[in-house]
Amino acid sequence: MKNRLNLLRIDKYIIGKFLGTYIFMITLIISISVVFDINEKIDKFMSNSAPLKEIIFDYYLNFIPYYANLFSPLFIFLAVIFFTSKMASNSEIIALLSNGVSFKRLLKPYMISAAVIAIFSFVMGSYIIPPANETRISFEQKYVDPRKKKTGDRDIQFKVAEGTIVYFGNFDMESKKGYNFSIDRFDSLKLVSRLTAQSIQYDSLYHWTINNYQIRDFEGMEEKITRGTSLDTIIQIVPNDFIVAKTDQQMMTTPQLLRHVRSQKERGLGNIQAFQIEYHSRYASIFSAFILTIIGASLSARKVKGGMGLNIGIGLALSMAYILFMTISSSFAVKGNMSPFVAAWIPNVVFIGIAFYLYKKAPN
C-alpha cells in the first residue's frame, strides 16, 4: 500500500502527526464530556437506582463512540489546525516549501489521513453505532428521562396498500392499542368499503384484533352493513411504522434508514424528515472531513506572530459556525421548509467556498 501511494518520509511523518493528534483530541475532549455528563446525571442515576454495570456498559460504553463519531469532522479540523500550526511555528512548513514542495503536494498526506478517518467513521456510524445506540437510548429512557420514550400519537392516517387507507384517532404505545379506528378501501377513487371500530389491539407481526366494529360495503346504490364485537385480521403495519420518537433514526443502520424512508413515502406517512437528514448527513460527513482538512491546513500553514493561538481561535470560530449551519438547516428541514438533502449538504457547500479561498491564500 505504501508503495502504491508513493509515500515519502515526510508523508509518513505528517500522517503520524495527523492521526496521533486526532486520537489525542478525541480522547481528551470525550473524557472531559464524560466527566461533565456524569456530574449532570449522577443524581438521576442514584434516584432511579441505575446499576453501576449498566451505567458503564450500557450507557457510557455506547456514549463514547456515538459522540466521538458524531463530531469526528470537527475533531479532524481542530487536529489539523493544532499540529499544522505547531509545524509552521517550528518552521517545518517553510523548510518544505523552500525545498520545492508545493502546497498542493503537501496536502497529499493530509487527504490520505482524512480518507482513513472518514471511511472508518462512516462504517462505524452506518453499521456499528446504531445498534449500540439502541442500548444507550433504552438506558436513558429507563433511568435518565422517561419522557424521551414515545408513548403514543393522535390523528394518524396513511396508506397501507393500494387503495387502502387506515386511520387511528389515537394510539397508545404502552398497551399497543388504538381507538376510533377506520379502514377505507377505494376502487379508482370510489369508496367501496368502510370499516369503523371503537378500538384495535396489536398482537404480533401484522396481526390485529378489531373490537366493536361496523363494516359498510357499497355496491352501486346499495349498502350492506356488518357488525361484530371482535375480528382478527392481518394489516401490513406495526406500531413502530407510525409511532416515531425523536431518536429512532439514530438506532437504524444506513440501509435500514433508506428502506424506512422509502416505505413511509409509499404509505403516505409524514414525519420522515429527521430520517432523511440522518441518512444524507452520514454521506455528507465523508466530504466534510476533506473540506475541513483543507481549511485547517490552509489556515495554519503560514507562520504567524504570537504562535498558534490565533489559528486555534479562528479554527474554533469556524467550528462553531459549522455547527450553527448544521443546526439551523436541520431545523428548517424538520419543519418542512427545506429539503433534507439540502439541509445535510449546505454546510459543506458554504465551507467549500471558504476552503477554496483559504487554499488560494495558502503559502506556496
Side-chain angles (χ1 to χ4, degrees), residues 73-100:
L74 296 180
F75 287 137
I76 290 174
F77 186 43
L78 294 176
V80 169
I81 288 177
F82 184 81
F83 87 83
T84 305
S85 295
K86 192 171 182 180
M87 288 178 64
S89 179
N90 294 335
S91 300
E92 294 176 84
I93 301 293
I94 294 174
L96 288 169
L97 296 175
S98 62
N99 279 279

PDB file of all heavy atoms in Angstrom, residues 73-100:
ATOM      1  N   PRO A  73     -15.725  15.016  12.162  1.00  0.00           N
ATOM      2  CA  PRO A  73     -15.185  16.027  11.234  1.00  0.00           C
ATOM      3  C   PRO A  73     -14.607  17.239  11.957  1.00  0.00           C
ATOM      4  O   PRO A  73     -13.595  17.799  11.523  1.00  0.00           O
ATOM      5  CB  PRO A  73     -16.413  16.413  10.396  1.00  0.00           C
ATOM      6  CG  PRO A  73     -17.309  15.219  10.460  1.00  0.00           C
ATOM      7  CD  PRO A  73     -17.123  14.672  11.833  1.00  0.00           C
ATOM      8  N   LEU A  74     -15.228  17.642  13.050  1.00  0.00           N
ATOM      9  CA  LEU A  74     -14.712  18.793  13.796  1.00  0.00           C
ATOM     10  C   LEU A  74     -13.434  18.446  14.553  1.00  0.00           C
ATOM     11  O   LEU A  74     -12.532  19.285  14.690  1.00  0.00           O
ATOM     12  CB  LEU A  74     -15.783  19.303  14.759  1.00  0.00           C
ATOM     13  CG  LEU A  74     -17.049  19.841  14.092  1.00  0.00           C
ATOM     14  CD1 LEU A  74     -18.035  20.326  15.124  1.00  0.00           C
ATOM     15  CD2 LEU A  74     -16.713  20.962  13.114  1.00  0.00           C
ATOM     16  N   PHE A  75     -13.342  17.202  15.032  1.00  0.00           N
ATOM     17  CA  PHE A  75     -12.088  16.768  15.654  1.00  0.00           C
ATOM     18  C   PHE A  75     -10.966  16.769  14.613  1.00  0.00           C
ATOM     19  O   PHE A  75      -9.817  17.108  14.921  1.00  0.00           O
ATOM     20  CB  PHE A  75     -12.241  15.377  16.261  1.00  0.00           C
ATOM     21  CG  PHE A  75     -13.063  15.337  17.523  1.00  0.00           C
ATOM     22  CD1 PHE A  75     -14.002  14.338  17.723  1.00  0.00           C
ATOM     23  CD2 PHE A  75     -12.908  16.293  18.510  1.00  0.00           C
ATOM     24  CE1 PHE A  75     -14.765  14.292  18.880  1.00  0.00           C
ATOM     25  CE2 PHE A  75     -13.657  16.257  19.675  1.00  0.00           C
ATOM     26  CZ  PHE A  75     -14.592  15.258  19.859  1.00  0.00           C
ATOM     27  N   ILE A  76     -11.298  16.359  13.398  1.00  0.00           N
ATOM     28  CA  ILE A  76     -10.312  16.400  12.308  1.00  0.00           C
ATOM     29  C   ILE A  76      -9.836  17.834  12.094  1.00  0.00           C
ATOM     30  O   ILE A  76      -8.639  18.113  11.992  1.00  0.00           O
ATOM     31  CB  ILE A  76     -10.930  15.845  11.004  1.00  0.00           C
ATOM     32  CG1 ILE A  76     -11.152  14.332  11.111  1.00  0.00           C
ATOM     33  CG2 ILE A  76     -10.032  16.146   9.806  1.00  0.00           C
ATOM     34  CD1 ILE A  76     -11.881  13.730   9.922  1.00  0.00           C
ATOM     35  N   PHE A  77     -10.788  18.744  12.035  1.00  0.00           N
ATOM     36  CA  PHE A  77     -10.490  20.157  11.793  1.00  0.00           C
ATOM     37  C   PHE A  77      -9.554  20.721  12.864  1.00  0.00           C
ATOM     38  O   PHE A  77      -8.519  21.329  12.562  1.00  0.00           O
ATOM     39  CB  PHE A  77     -11.815  20.916  11.765  1.00  0.00           C
ATOM     40  CG  PHE A  77     -11.698  22.370  11.394  1.00  0.00           C
ATOM     41  CD1 PHE A  77     -10.874  22.781  10.357  1.00  0.00           C
ATOM     42  CD2 PHE A  77     -12.428  23.333  12.076  1.00  0.00           C
ATOM     43  CE1 PHE A  77     -10.782  24.116  10.008  1.00  0.00           C
ATOM     44  CE2 PHE A  77     -12.341  24.669  11.732  1.00  0.00           C
ATOM     45  CZ  PHE A  77     -11.521  25.059  10.700  1.00  0.00           C
ATOM     46  N   LEU A  78      -9.898  20.502  14.104  1.00  0.00           N
ATOM     47  CA  LEU A  78      -9.100  21.034  15.208  1.00  0.00           C
ATOM     48  C   LEU A  78      -7.725  20.366  15.274  1.00  0.00           C
ATOM     49  O   LEU A  78      -6.720  21.011  15.579  1.00  0.00           O
ATOM     50  CB  LEU A  78      -9.843  20.851  16.529  1.00  0.00           C
ATOM     51  CG  LEU A  78     -11.146  21.650  16.675  1.00  0.00           C
ATOM     52  CD1 LEU A  78     -11.847  21.303  17.990  1.00  0.00           C
ATOM     53  CD2 LEU A  78     -10.876  23.145  16.594  1.00  0.00           C
ATOM     54  N   ALA A  79      -7.685  19.060  14.969  1.00  0.00           N
ATOM     55  CA  ALA A  79      -6.398  18.348  14.980  1.00  0.00           C
ATOM     56  C   ALA A  79      -5.468  18.904  13.914  1.00  0.00           C
ATOM     57  O   ALA A  79      -4.270  19.114  14.163  1.00  0.00           O
ATOM     58  CB  ALA A  79      -6.624  16.855  14.770  1.00  0.00           C
ATOM     59  N   VAL A  80      -6.007  19.156  12.712  1.00  0.00           N
ATOM     60  CA  VAL A  80      -5.200  19.702  11.616  1.00  0.00           C
ATOM     61  C   VAL A  80      -4.653  21.075  11.994  1.00  0.00           C
ATOM     62  O   VAL A  80      -3.467  21.378  11.791  1.00  0.00           O
ATOM     63  CB  VAL A  80      -6.032  19.786  10.316  1.00  0.00           C
ATOM     64  CG1 VAL A  80      -5.290  20.585   9.257  1.00  0.00           C
ATOM     65  CG2 VAL A  80      -6.318  18.388   9.793  1.00  0.00           C
ATOM     66  N   ILE A  81      -5.514  21.931  12.527  1.00  0.00           N
ATOM     67  CA  ILE A  81      -5.078  23.276  12.919  1.00  0.00           C
ATOM     68  C   ILE A  81      -3.988  23.192  13.986  1.00  0.00           C
ATOM     69  O   ILE A  81      -2.977  23.911  13.916  1.00  0.00           O
ATOM     70  CB  ILE A  81      -6.280  24.096  13.430  1.00  0.00           C
ATOM     71  CG1 ILE A  81      -7.180  24.472  12.256  1.00  0.00           C
ATOM     72  CG2 ILE A  81      -5.817  25.354  14.161  1.00  0.00           C
ATOM     73  CD1 ILE A  81      -8.425  25.227  12.643  1.00  0.00           C
ATOM     74  N   PHE A  82      -4.171  22.315  14.946  1.00  0.00           N
ATOM     75  CA  PHE A  82      -3.230  22.235  16.068  1.00  0.00           C
ATOM     76  C   PHE A  82      -1.843  21.787  15.603  1.00  0.00           C
ATOM     77  O   PHE A  82      -0.842  22.480  15.860  1.00  0.00           O
ATOM     78  CB  PHE A  82      -3.762  21.276  17.127  1.00  0.00           C
ATOM     79  CG  PHE A  82      -2.911  21.194  18.360  1.00  0.00           C
ATOM     80  CD1 PHE A  82      -3.009  22.151  19.353  1.00  0.00           C
ATOM     81  CD2 PHE A  82      -2.000  20.154  18.534  1.00  0.00           C
ATOM     82  CE1 PHE A  82      -2.228  22.085  20.497  1.00  0.00           C
ATOM     83  CE2 PHE A  82      -1.208  20.081  19.658  1.00  0.00           C
ATOM     84  CZ  PHE A  82      -1.323  21.045  20.652  1.00  0.00           C
ATOM     85  N   PHE A  83      -1.753  20.642  14.902  1.00  0.00           N
ATOM     86  CA  PHE A  83      -0.416  20.138  14.588  1.00  0.00           C
ATOM     87  C   PHE A  83       0.215  20.894  13.415  1.00  0.00           C
ATOM     88  O   PHE A  83       1.442  21.037  13.350  1.00  0.00           O
ATOM     89  CB  PHE A  83      -0.441  18.613  14.331  1.00  0.00           C
ATOM     90  CG  PHE A  83      -0.737  18.189  12.935  1.00  0.00           C
ATOM     91  CD1 PHE A  83       0.253  18.133  11.959  1.00  0.00           C
ATOM     92  CD2 PHE A  83      -2.021  17.818  12.567  1.00  0.00           C
ATOM     93  CE1 PHE A  83      -0.010  17.714  10.671  1.00  0.00           C
ATOM     94  CE2 PHE A  83      -2.302  17.399  11.284  1.00  0.00           C
ATOM     95  CZ  PHE A  83      -1.297  17.348  10.327  1.00  0.00           C
ATOM     96  N   THR A  84      -0.601  21.424  12.491  1.00  0.00           N
ATOM     97  CA  THR A  84      -0.036  22.206  11.381  1.00  0.00           C
ATOM     98  C   THR A  84       0.490  23.541  11.887  1.00  0.00           C
ATOM     99  O   THR A  84       1.552  24.011  11.439  1.00  0.00           O
ATOM    100  CB  THR A  84      -1.099  22.442  10.295  1.00  0.00           C
ATOM    101  OG1 THR A  84      -1.644  21.194   9.881  1.00  0.00           O
ATOM    102  CG2 THR A  84      -0.486  23.132   9.082  1.00  0.00           C
ATOM    103  N   SER A  85      -0.221  24.180  12.819  1.00  0.00           N
ATOM    104  CA  SER A  85       0.256  25.431  13.419  1.00  0.00           C
ATOM    105  C   SER A  85       1.581  25.201  14.137  1.00  0.00           C
ATOM    106  O   SER A  85       2.484  26.046  14.081  1.00  0.00           O
ATOM    107  CB  SER A  85      -0.784  25.974  14.399  1.00  0.00           C
ATOM    108  OG  SER A  85      -1.963  26.348  13.736  1.00  0.00           O
ATOM    109  N   LYS A  86       1.679  24.058  14.804  1.00  0.00           N
ATOM    110  CA  LYS A  86       2.920  23.736  15.507  1.00  0.00           C
ATOM    111  C   LYS A  86       4.065  23.516  14.514  1.00  0.00           C
ATOM    112  O   LYS A  86       5.200  23.967  14.750  1.00  0.00           O
ATOM    113  CB  LYS A  86       2.716  22.489  16.363  1.00  0.00           C
ATOM    114  CG  LYS A  86       3.847  22.245  17.353  1.00  0.00           C
ATOM    115  CD  LYS A  86       3.508  21.136  18.332  1.00  0.00           C
ATOM    116  CE  LYS A  86       4.631  20.946  19.349  1.00  0.00           C
ATOM    117  NZ  LYS A  86       4.311  19.861  20.316  1.00  0.00           N
ATOM    118  N   MET A  87       3.771  22.838  13.388  1.00  0.00           N
ATOM    119  CA  MET A  87       4.795  22.645  12.354  1.00  0.00           C
ATOM    120  C   MET A  87       5.219  23.981  11.755  1.00  0.00           C
ATOM    121  O   MET A  87       6.407  24.224  11.520  1.00  0.00           O
ATOM    122  CB  MET A  87       4.262  21.725  11.253  1.00  0.00           C
ATOM    123  CG  MET A  87       4.137  20.259  11.651  1.00  0.00           C
ATOM    124  SD  MET A  87       3.450  19.243  10.315  1.00  0.00           S
ATOM    125  CE  MET A  87       4.731  19.395   9.057  1.00  0.00           C
ATOM    126  N   ALA A  88       4.237  24.868  11.522  1.00  0.00           N
ATOM    127  CA  ALA A  88       4.560  26.186  10.966  1.00  0.00           C
ATOM    128  C   ALA A  88       5.373  27.002  11.951  1.00  0.00           C
ATOM    129  O   ALA A  88       6.328  27.701  11.574  1.00  0.00           O
ATOM    130  CB  ALA A  88       3.266  26.914  10.601  1.00  0.00           C
ATOM    131  N   SER A  89       5.008  26.908  13.226  1.00  0.00           N
ATOM    132  CA  SER A  89       5.742  27.641  14.267  1.00  0.00           C
ATOM    133  C   SER A  89       7.190  27.175  14.372  1.00  0.00           C
ATOM    134  O   SER A  89       8.096  27.964  14.653  1.00  0.00           O
ATOM    135  CB  SER A  89       5.036  27.458  15.613  1.00  0.00           C
ATOM    136  OG  SER A  89       5.716  28.127  16.638  1.00  0.00           O
ATOM    137  N   ASN A  90       7.422  25.876  14.115  1.00  0.00           N
ATOM    138  CA  ASN A  90       8.778  25.305  14.147  1.00  0.00           C
ATOM    139  C   ASN A  90       9.496  25.446  12.807  1.00  0.00           C
ATOM    140  O   ASN A  90      10.568  24.850  12.617  1.00  0.00           O
ATOM    141  CB  ASN A  90       8.721  23.834  14.540  1.00  0.00           C
ATOM    142  CG  ASN A  90       8.238  23.628  15.957  1.00  0.00           C
ATOM    143  OD1 ASN A  90       8.367  24.512  16.807  1.00  0.00           O
ATOM    144  ND2 ASN A  90       7.663  22.455  16.230  1.00  0.00           N
ATOM    145  N   SER A  91       8.897  26.205  11.875  1.00  0.00           N
ATOM    146  CA  SER A  91       9.470  26.460  10.537  1.00  0.00           C
ATOM    147  C   SER A  91       9.582  25.208   9.678  1.00  0.00           C
ATOM    148  O   SER A  91      10.313  25.201   8.674  1.00  0.00           O
ATOM    149  CB  SER A  91      10.852  27.138  10.662  1.00  0.00           C
ATOM    150  OG  SER A  91      10.747  28.375  11.347  1.00  0.00           O
ATOM    151  N   GLU A  92       8.876  24.145  10.032  1.00  0.00           N
ATOM    152  CA  GLU A  92       8.908  22.916   9.229  1.00  0.00           C
ATOM    153  C   GLU A  92       8.208  23.115   7.888  1.00  0.00           C
ATOM    154  O   GLU A  92       8.657  22.602   6.859  1.00  0.00           O
ATOM    155  CB  GLU A  92       8.256  21.770  10.006  1.00  0.00           C
ATOM    156  CG  GLU A  92       9.029  21.353  11.249  1.00  0.00           C
ATOM    157  CD  GLU A  92       8.309  20.286  12.047  1.00  0.00           C
ATOM    158  OE1 GLU A  92       8.446  19.097  11.702  1.00  0.00           O
ATOM    159  OE2 GLU A  92       7.597  20.642  13.018  1.00  0.00           O
ATOM    160  N   ILE A  93       7.081  23.853   7.896  1.00  0.00           N
ATOM    161  CA  ILE A  93       6.358  24.108   6.648  1.00  0.00           C
ATOM    162  C   ILE A  93       7.208  24.961   5.715  1.00  0.00           C
ATOM    163  O   ILE A  93       7.303  24.692   4.503  1.00  0.00           O
ATOM    164  CB  ILE A  93       5.006  24.816   6.930  1.00  0.00           C
ATOM    165  CG1 ILE A  93       4.122  23.969   7.853  1.00  0.00           C
ATOM    166  CG2 ILE A  93       4.281  25.120   5.625  1.00  0.00           C
ATOM    167  CD1 ILE A  93       3.642  22.681   7.245  1.00  0.00           C
ATOM    168  N   ILE A  94       7.843  25.987   6.273  1.00  0.00           N
ATOM    169  CA  ILE A  94       8.701  26.867   5.469  1.00  0.00           C
ATOM    170  C   ILE A  94       9.836  26.069   4.826  1.00  0.00           C
ATOM    171  O   ILE A  94      10.169  26.244   3.657  1.00  0.00           O
ATOM    172  CB  ILE A  94       9.275  27.994   6.348  1.00  0.00           C
ATOM    173  CG1 ILE A  94       8.145  28.913   6.829  1.00  0.00           C
ATOM    174  CG2 ILE A  94      10.322  28.805   5.586  1.00  0.00           C
ATOM    175  CD1 ILE A  94       8.586  29.972   7.817  1.00  0.00           C
ATOM    176  N   ALA A  95      10.431  25.157   5.586  1.00  0.00           N
ATOM    177  CA  ALA A  95      11.532  24.340   5.065  1.00  0.00           C
ATOM    178  C   ALA A  95      11.067  23.467   3.902  1.00  0.00           C
ATOM    179  O   ALA A  95      11.771  23.327   2.895  1.00  0.00           O
ATOM    180  CB  ALA A  95      12.094  23.473   6.189  1.00  0.00           C
ATOM    181  N   LEU A  96       9.885  22.908   4.018  1.00  0.00           N
ATOM    182  CA  LEU A  96       9.361  22.066   2.938  1.00  0.00           C
ATOM    183  C   LEU A  96       9.086  22.888   1.682  1.00  0.00           C
ATOM    184  O   LEU A  96       9.457  22.493   0.565  1.00  0.00           O
ATOM    185  CB  LEU A  96       8.072  21.373   3.401  1.00  0.00           C
ATOM    186  CG  LEU A  96       8.233  20.261   4.429  1.00  0.00           C
ATOM    187  CD1 LEU A  96       6.876  19.857   5.006  1.00  0.00           C
ATOM    188  CD2 LEU A  96       8.906  19.036   3.793  1.00  0.00           C
ATOM    189  N   LEU A  97       8.415  24.041   1.862  1.00  0.00           N
ATOM    190  CA  LEU A  97       8.073  24.868   0.709  1.00  0.00           C
ATOM    191  C   LEU A  97       9.325  25.428   0.036  1.00  0.00           C
ATOM    192  O   LEU A  97       9.387  25.528  -1.203  1.00  0.00           O
ATOM    193  CB  LEU A  97       7.150  26.007   1.141  1.00  0.00           C
ATOM    194  CG  LEU A  97       5.773  25.600   1.693  1.00  0.00           C
ATOM    195  CD1 LEU A  97       5.008  26.814   2.185  1.00  0.00           C
ATOM    196  CD2 LEU A  97       4.960  24.858   0.639  1.00  0.00           C
ATOM    197  N   SER A  98      10.338  25.794   0.819  1.00  0.00           N
ATOM    198  CA  SER A  98      11.572  26.357   0.255  1.00  0.00           C
ATOM    199  C   SER A  98      12.397  25.309  -0.484  1.00  0.00           C
ATOM    200  O   SER A  98      13.259  25.663  -1.296  1.00  0.00           O
ATOM    201  CB  SER A  98      12.419  26.998   1.358  1.00  0.00           C
ATOM    202  OG  SER A  98      12.817  26.025   2.313  1.00  0.00           O
ATOM    203  N   ASN A  99      12.114  24.030  -0.228  1.00  0.00           N
ATOM    204  CA  ASN A  99      12.825  22.950  -0.924  1.00  0.00           C
ATOM    205  C   ASN A  99      12.033  22.412  -2.113  1.00  0.00           C
ATOM    206  O   ASN A  99      12.312  21.320  -2.603  1.00  0.00           O
ATOM    207  CB  ASN A  99      13.130  21.811   0.046  1.00  0.00           C
ATOM    208  CG  ASN A  99      14.370  22.090   0.887  1.00  0.00           C
ATOM    209  OD1 ASN A  99      15.493  21.893   0.441  1.00  0.00           O
ATOM    210  ND2 ASN A  99      14.153  22.583   2.106  1.00  0.00           N
ATOM    211  N   GLY A 100      11.079  23.192  -2.577  1.00  0.00           N
ATOM    212  CA  GLY A 100      10.385  22.858  -3.819  1.00  0.00           C
ATOM    213  C   GLY A 100       9.128  22.029  -3.665  1.00  0.00           C
ATOM    214  O   GLY A 100       8.537  21.610  -4.668  1.00  0.00           O
TER     215      GLY A 100
END
